[in-house]
Amino acid sequence: ALYPVCEGIRMCALLLSPFMPVSCKKIRAMLGLPEVPENGTLASWHRPLPGGMKTGERTILFPRKAA
């Protein structure tokens, strides 16, 4: 049941990578995926997530600013 959610997150990270490259690298690391080369970002669009993969370490993407 979580596969479609992870696949959606992967696609969002691919599409947003030109605008938020650092955060999208963190997302790919959390999904356990390799980094995408800058010139081939959308080339991996049609490669679905492999089954039985393990996710990476969780990190905070957008930390809160101190008030």
Side-chain angles (χ1 to χ4, degrees):
L2 291 179
Y3 181 84
V5 173
C6 290
E7 186 65 19
I9 292 171
R10 181 188 73 88
M11 287 185 199
C12 288
L14 278 171
L15 293 173
L16 290 172
S17 61
F19 307 102
M20 300 169 36
V22 174
S23 297
C24 291
K25 283 182 184 180
K26 290 180 184 178
I27 292 170
R28 292 187 63 79
M30 284 190 270
L31 288 175
L33 299 172
E35 288 190 25
V36 175
E38 290 182 23
N39 59 356
T41 301
L42 293 178
S44 64
W45 177 265
H46 295 292
R47 279 184 253 140
L49 290 171
M53 61 177 248
K54 298 199 186 258
T55 57
E57 185 178 337
R58 293 174 285 184
T59 59
I60 297 173
L61 288 176
F62 307 107
R64 292 184 185 183
K65 290 187 177 183

